[in-house]
Amino acid sequence: MFHEFCTIEALNLRPGSKELEAFNVERVRGYLECNLGCKKKEVIHALGLHPRTVAKAIKIIRANAHRSVGALQS
């Protein structure tokens, strides 16, 4: 997991890049794993992300979870 003191600038991530998207997905995933049952608003406030960024990250996390479950069942 990424350290909380890391910033987008320090990691040299460009707005709108796939690298930034992956970074935010992992931040959201880490927060959700550490705070089971939390609400989306909590994630938004805790990580300081835009609501659409969090919604997209959750969508990606769910899609990846469904793919890995499907692969295990094959």
Side-chain angles (χ1 to χ4, degrees):
M1 183 183 332
F2 296 101
H3 299 289
E4 285 302 312
F5 58 84
C6 289
T7 63
I8 293 168
E9 294 81 16
L11 295 171
N12 215 13
L13 299 175
R14 290 175 290 112
S17 68
K18 288 293 179 184
E19 292 84 9
L20 177 58
E21 182 179 278
F23 177 76
N24 285 330
V25 167
E26 289 307 313
R27 286 183 66 205
V28 171
R29 182 190 323 273
Y31 188 84
L32 293 173
E33 287 175 354
C34 292
N35 299 281
L36 297 175
C38 68
K39 301 206 183 286
K40 190 168 29 173
K41 276 187 174 183
E42 293 175 58
V43 179
I44 292 165
H45 291 293
L47 299 180
L49 295 172
H50 191 278
R52 277 184 281 187
T53 302
V54 173
K56 186 173 183 180
I58 291 171
K59 183 177 178 181
I60 292 169
I61 292 165
R62 286 181 176 155
N64 289 341
H66 290 336
R67 261 188 259 144
S68 64
V69 169
L72 292 174
Q73 294 175 349
S74 297

